[in-house]
């Protein structure tokens, strides 16, 4: 946890110092508010270039350090800013850093953000590892994918030694840098109003939501767009020459390309074009010749982006210009444009608020703020920030019309910070009572909306991750079957030639076919009986969850190591060509005789039949049933119980569950705590062993209470299984297996 905060603070300080150094190099006339965004742009471009050189991440770190040291040398001779300026920046940065800590406080732990909502960061962190050590992950990084942020993360990971920590650290730094840049657009306000405006501009609702789901591209492009607005603002005030303006716009555009591919140039180009048109409208004449040339250059750049997209599909790794009728990505429907205005009382941005009346009230409030701001900006004839909003809004409108909801959501998220700044700037200094009332209502609603998004963030538990990390040295560079359903396996098993089942969803890793008797489906576990024996022979290693409620390994597979969560197996020799009954999601099935196998010669692997608790048998303390596999079987702080009848002997209990909090399981002679699990449904997790004397056994499951900051969360409990431990499996003639529980069988001529 401390490593991520160190990375966040380091990135903010380094970017600000580099930006201030560049300001001194350019003559020191531009606003200091440009320093954070231009500094990060320099670091992105430098890291992206250096990471291709020998030494990769180490070279990026050295190059960034050299730029930082050069900037500090320039600053040593520079005039110090007024103490009040530095204090406002420090207070703003501290408040935003506290705000981006809300997800961890609300979940009571530190870990990867957005787990179960957006698991793509697992792949990005694996690519960060590739830049550090050259080990190619599965799946590989697409050719041409923009890796400027990855290069910065890889350089940071050289210090912390952990790509995941570096990823979270950069995520935390971007809202801070956005708020610091926003201060430059709020310069005429009093310090408290500037801090308030910058805080809301740095973390409007959609920016907070995208941070909560660990999306880094859209927030970085949005930060660069705020920087473009500030550059145009400074140019309008005469504090930047045409050459300096073009240089800064070029730098910010280059940073956008390293983050979002060439298609990202549409945003700065649209902003410049709208600003140029706005300047012409305000002055009632065309701008001077240098500004005309700048506008022509911006229009040419925008046209070039369109040509590249059409001819070369540039940026196809970033956006999917798919059917507007399908949501795409992790969305369930098209986002409301009102979310871009910053007032949306819903922790998960993919859904609408529960009350239709409340939603309409929020929409009216947003429209009132928008109308107030439009009149305010029109009277003051200031064009930089409104033009930037207009250009980005035009891109959103086009995306909403021709692209999938997933793409239009990206455009809306990029639009959100500049839109919030355009709304906040007029509202923080109203002169009349009506304006003050509107300001209090809108700013309060916007702050609450962002707080909800941050409190609603999902934060992963690292217990399973640490288990996979320990297995990585064995499987590295070897073909490995992963029989779990954790998307983050591509990161923690990076370097292994990983394969999985279709529904395991390990982010497009190569898939292995499953038998028709044990079909692959959402919510179904994967074990040794799932793939045909010939497919098992493709792998040297296999990783399964550590539970006995699973098909037994074939005799040529040997256990290498195991812990509470995962077991590593190694194949030695060919896998016997055994068959299975129609098992479905179970580890075996009862052989019914007479049947299709009547008269067939062969042998069967017979084991004690496991026992399953009644799926509808979870009972709340009130006596009401809590159906298994329902998304709200259990809430944090609650307890449910079930009863199952077990014959005498030793039994292992296993459970399917999904939830953001740990579970306390109690049974006779058994006390065990299970870590939170936000993975895909399906795997069985071992609870522990108990001894039954024969008869009913009561099992209780209690969900640990989450911190008071957390929004309402629920746990989905699946089935509870008991597997006999002290009754080893036996190989018997197939004819003698009638009525027995068969794991697998072989036939003979």
């Amino acid at each position: 946890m401390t490593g991520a905060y160190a990375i966040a603070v380091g990135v903010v300080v380094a970017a600000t110092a580099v930006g201030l150094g560049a300001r001194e190099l350019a003559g020191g006339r531009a606003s200091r508010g440009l320093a954070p965004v231009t500094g990060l742009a320099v670091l992105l471009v430098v890291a992206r270039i250096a990471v291709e050189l020998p030494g990769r991440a180490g070279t990026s770190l050295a190059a960034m350090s050299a730029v930082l040291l050069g900037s500090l040398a320039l600053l040593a001779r520079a005039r110090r800013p007024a103490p009040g300026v530095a204090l406002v920046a420090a207070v703003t940065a501290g408040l935003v850093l506290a705000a981006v800590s809300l997800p961890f406080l609300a979940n009571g732990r530190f870990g990867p953000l957005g787990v179960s909502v957006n698991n793509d960061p697992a792949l990005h962190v694996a690519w960060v590892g590739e830049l550090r050590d050259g080990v190619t992950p599965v799946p590989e990084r697409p050719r041409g994918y923009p890796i400027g942020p990855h290069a910065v993360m890889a350089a940071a990971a050289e210090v912390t030694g952990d790509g995941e920590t570096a990823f979270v650290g950069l995520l935390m730094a971007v809202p801070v840098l956005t708020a610091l840049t926003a201060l430059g657009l709020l310069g005429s306000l009093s310090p408290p109003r500037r801090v308030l405006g910058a805080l809301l501009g740095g973390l409007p609702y959609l920016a907070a939501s995208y941070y909560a789901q660990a999306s880094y591209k859209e927030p970085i492009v949005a930060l660069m767009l705020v920087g473009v607005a500030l550059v145009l603002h400074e140019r309008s005030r005469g504090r930047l020459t045409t050459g300096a303006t073009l240089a800064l716009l070029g730098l910010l555009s280059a940073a956008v390309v390293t983050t979002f591919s060439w298609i990202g140039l549409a945003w700065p180009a649209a902003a410049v074009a709208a600003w140029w048109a706005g300047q012409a409208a305000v002055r009632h004449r065309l701008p001077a010749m240098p500004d005309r040339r700048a506008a022509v250059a911006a229009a040419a750049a925008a046209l070039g982006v369109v040509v590249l997209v059409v001819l070369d599909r540039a940026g196809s790794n970033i956006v999917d210009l798919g059917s507007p009728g399908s949501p795409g990505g992790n969305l369930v429907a098209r986002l409301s444009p009102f979310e871009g205005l910053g007032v949306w009382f819903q922790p998960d941005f993919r859904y609408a608020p529960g009350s239709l009346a409340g939603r309409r009230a929020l929409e009216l409030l947003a429209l009132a703020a928008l109308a107030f701001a439009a009149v305010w900006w029109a009277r003051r004839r200031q064009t930089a920030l409104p033009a930037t909003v207009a250009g980005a809004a035009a891109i959103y409108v086009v995306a909403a019309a021709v692209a999938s909801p997933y793409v239009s959501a990206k455009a809306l998220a990029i639009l959100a910070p500049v839109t919030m700044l355009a709304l906040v700037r007029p509202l923080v200094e109203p002169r009349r009572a009506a304006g003050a009332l509107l300001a209090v209502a809108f700013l309060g609603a916007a702050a609450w909306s962002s707080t909800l998004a941050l409190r609603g963030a999902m934060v992963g538990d690292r217990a399973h991750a640490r288990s996979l990390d320990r297995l990585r040295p064995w499987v590295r560079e070897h073909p490995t079957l992963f029989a779990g359903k954790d998307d983050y396996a591509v990161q923690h098993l990076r370097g292994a030639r990983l394969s999985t089942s279709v529904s395991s969803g390990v982010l497009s890793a190569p898939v292995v076919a499953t038998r028709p008797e044990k079909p692959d489906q959402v919510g179904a576990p994967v074990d040794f009986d799932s793939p045909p024996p010939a497919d098992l022979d493709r792998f040297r290693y296999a990783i399964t969850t550590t539970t006995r409620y699973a098909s037994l390994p074939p005799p040529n597979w040997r256990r290498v190591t195991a812990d509470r969560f995962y077991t590593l197996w190694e194949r030695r020799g060919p896998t016997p060509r055994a068959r299975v009954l129609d098992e479905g999601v179970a580890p075996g099935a009862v052989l019914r005789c007479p049947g299709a196998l009547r008269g067939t010669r062969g042998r069967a692997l017979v084991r004690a039949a496991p026992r399953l608790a009644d799926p509808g048998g979870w009972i709340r303390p009130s006596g009401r049933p809590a159906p298994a596999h329902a998304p709200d079987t259990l809430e944090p702080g609650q307890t449910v119980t079930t009863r199952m009848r077990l014959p005498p002997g030793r039994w292992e209990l296993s459970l399917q569950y999904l939830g953001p909090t740990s579970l306390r399981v109690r049974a006779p002679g058994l006390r065990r705590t299970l870590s939170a699990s936000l993975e895909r449904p399906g795997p069985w997790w071992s609870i522990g062993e108990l001894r039954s004397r024969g008869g009913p056994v009561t099992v209780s499951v209690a969900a640990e209470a989450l911190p008071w900051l957390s929004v309402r969360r629920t746990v989905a409990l699946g089935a509870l299984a008991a597997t006999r431990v002290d009754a080893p499996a036996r190989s018997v003639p197939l004819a003698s297996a009638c009525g027995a529980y068969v794991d697998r069988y072989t036939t003979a001529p």
Side-chain angles (χ1 to χ4, degrees):
M1 182 173 182
T2 55
Y5 281 93
I7 293 297
V9 173
V11 169
V12 171
V13 171
T16 304
V18 170
L20 290 173
R23 176 179 180 272
E24 293 302 317
L25 194 62
R29 294 187 60 195
S31 167
R32 286 187 174 87
L34 279 169
V37 65
T38 55
L40 181 63
V42 169
L43 294 178
L44 285 169
V45 173
V46 168
R48 173 64 184 90
I49 295 172
V51 81
E52 299 289 355
L53 302 176
R56 302 175 72 83
T59 305
S60 285
L61 179 61
M64 293 166 62
S65 301
V67 171
L68 176 60
L69 291 175
S71 300
L72 293 175
L74 289 171
L75 292 178
R77 305 191 301 270
R79 185 165 58 91
R80 298 290 186 272
V85 174
L87 179 61
V88 168
V91 171
T92 301
L95 289 176
V96 178
L97 195 61
V100 297
S101 302
L102 283 177
F104 311 117
L105 297 175
N107 285 270
R109 60 176 174 270
F110 185 84
L113 286 164
V115 178
S116 80
V117 177
N118 171 32
N119 288 342
D120 287 357
L123 201 53
H124 293 295
V125 174
W127 293 345
V128 169
E130 176 192 6
L131 296 178
R132 288 187 62 206
D133 54 25
V135 176
T136 303
V138 175
E140 298 182 22
R141 172 167 48 91
R143 183 179 179 182
Y145 199 95
I147 55 170
H150 300 76
V152 173
M153 295 179 220
E158 288 289 288
V159 178
T160 64
D162 181 8
E164 190 173 273
T165 299
F167 187 89
V168 176
L170 181 61
L171 285 175
M172 298 170 70
V174 171
V176 178
L177 293 170
T178 305
L180 292 176
T181 305
L183 289 173
L185 291 165
L186 306 169
S188 61
L189 298 172
S190 64
R193 296 175 188 268
R194 290 182 69 203
V195 171
L196 174 61
L199 181 60
L200 290 174
L203 271 175
Y205 176 73
L206 271 186
S209 297
Y210 270 62
Y211 164 76
Q213 70 161 358
S215 292
Y216 68 93
K217 294 186 289 288
E218 295 79 14
I220 292 178
V221 176
L223 165 60
M224 297 301 152
L225 191 60
V226 174
V228 168
L230 184 52
V231 169
L232 298 178
H233 177 70
E234 292 292 290
R235 173 62 183 166
S236 299
R237 297 173 62 190
R239 300 182 65 175
L240 289 176
T241 65
T242 300
T245 301
L246 292 176
L248 287 169
L249 291 175
L251 174 62
L252 298 178
S253 299
V256 168
V257 171
T258 69
T259 303
F260 210 74
S261 189
W262 294 99
I263 199 171
L265 289 176
W267 278 273
V272 171
W275 172 79
W276 186 80
Q279 289 288 94
V282 168
R283 298 175 182 178
H284 301 291
R285 61 181 176 84
L286 292 177
M289 184 57 68
D291 289 338
R292 295 184 195 178
R293 292 170 183 165
V296 171
L303 179 61
V305 171
V306 174
V307 172
L308 284 172
V309 172
V310 173
L311 297 181
D312 298 332
R313 295 289 294 169
S316 60
N317 293 324
I318 299 298
V319 297
D320 174 21
L321 302 178
S323 169
S326 59
N330 63 345
L331 298 183
V332 297
R334 187 177 297 276
L335 298 187
S336 168
F338 287 96
E339 295 189 53
L341 297 179
V343 286
W344 200 254
F345 289 179
Q346 169 59 254
D348 191 331
F349 74 104
R350 300 172 299 170
Y351 301 93
S355 168
L356 180 60
R359 176 181 171 183
R360 292 291 181 257
L362 291 177
E363 292 172 352
L364 289 175
L365 178 62
L367 289 175
L370 185 62
F372 183 93
V375 173
W376 190 93
W377 286 107
R379 287 178 175 175
R380 282 152 184 80
R381 302 167 70 85
Q382 297 180 22
T383 59
L385 187 54
T388 305
V389 174
I395 294 175
Y396 165 69
V397 170
V398 172
V402 304
S404 68
Y406 181 64
V407 176
S408 63
K410 289 175 176 286
L412 193 61
I414 293 171
L415 171 63
V418 289
T419 301
M420 179 57 70
L421 286 170
L423 295 175
V424 165
R425 178 63 184 84
L427 288 172
V428 292
E429 57 169 22
R431 297 290 189 268
R432 298 178 181 178
L437 183 62
L438 175 63
V440 170
F442 179 81
L443 298 179
W448 180 248
S449 299
S450 297
T451 302
L452 275 178
L454 295 170
R455 291 169 53 204
M458 292 290 192
V459 176
D461 192 296
R462 296 177 61 91
H464 296 169
R466 286 190 289 266
S467 178
L468 292 176
D469 286 337
R470 287 190 287 268
L471 300 181
R472 185 175 173 237
W474 273 287
V475 301
R476 185 171 176 174
E477 299 182 359
H478 294 292
T480 304
L481 172 65
F482 178 68
K485 296 199 173 183
D486 183 1
D487 285 334
Y488 279 77
V490 299
Q491 169 197 339
H492 300 293
L493 300 175
R494 183 172 49 84
R497 289 151 57 188
L498 206 63
S499 294
T500 184
S501 72
V502 175
S503 70
S504 295
V506 189
L507 298 176
S508 302
V511 299
V512 59
T514 55
R515 305 178 195 247
E517 299 89 351
K518 203 175 182 70
D520 181 51
Q521 58 191 31
V522 175
V526 180
D527 59 27
F528 276 107
D529 279 356
S530 298
D535 285 350
L536 285 176
D537 285 345
R538 292 165 41 196
F539 306 103
R540 178 175 177 181
Y541 291 104
I543 298 174
T544 65
T545 56
T546 301
T547 175
R548 295 180 185 270
Y549 188 72
S551 299
L552 296 172
N556 63 317
W557 287 83
R558 299 288 188 269
R559 190 175 73 169
V560 178
T561 185
D563 62 11
R564 282 190 57 191
F565 304 112
Y566 288 104
T567 300
L568 176 65
W569 307 85
E570 183 178 12
R571 182 177 62 85
R572 298 178 182 177
T575 303
R577 274 24 182 188
R579 302 180 181 182
V580 298
L581 300 173
D582 188 8
E583 297 181 358
V585 298
V590 175
L591 178 59
R592 306 295 181 182
C593 297
L597 299 179
R598 183 177 183 180
T600 303
R601 298 179 59 189
R603 299 194 68 81
L605 184 64
V606 172
R607 55 188 294 190
R611 300 298 178 97
L612 287 174
D614 180 5
W618 294 111
I619 304 299
R620 295 187 173 96
S622 62
R624 293 187 299 109
H629 302 291
D632 57 350
T633 309
L634 184 62
E635 292 191 16
Q638 292 185 347
T639 301
V640 294
T641 60
T642 189
R643 289 166 64 87
M644 58 193 315
R645 184 172 294 275
L646 297 178
R650 285 195 302 122
W651 297 81
E652 182 200 69
L653 296 184
S654 300
L655 180 67
Q656 288 178 311
Y657 70 98
L658 290 174
T661 183
S662 57
L663 303 179
R664 288 181 287 107
V665 184
R666 300 291 184 264
L670 178 61
R671 300 288 186 274
R672 185 62 58 89
T673 299
L674 302 178
S675 60
S677 177
L678 293 172
E679 300 162 12
R680 295 177 184 266
W684 290 85
W685 301 101
S686 173
I687 299 173
E689 295 183 9
L690 59 80
R691 181 174 293 279
S692 170
R693 296 180 179 179
V697 173
T698 301
V699 180
S700 68
V701 178
E704 296 281 2
L706 285 170
W708 66 271
L709 278 172
S710 177
V711 298
R712 181 180 181 270
R713 300 285 177 79
T714 58
V715 177
L717 288 185
L720 178 70
T723 308
R724 191 72 178 267
V725 175
D726 53 358
R730 299 174 294 113
S731 176
V732 302
L734 192 57
S736 303
C738 292
Y741 195 82
V742 174
D743 191 309
R744 65 177 66 91
Y745 68 94
T746 58
T747 58

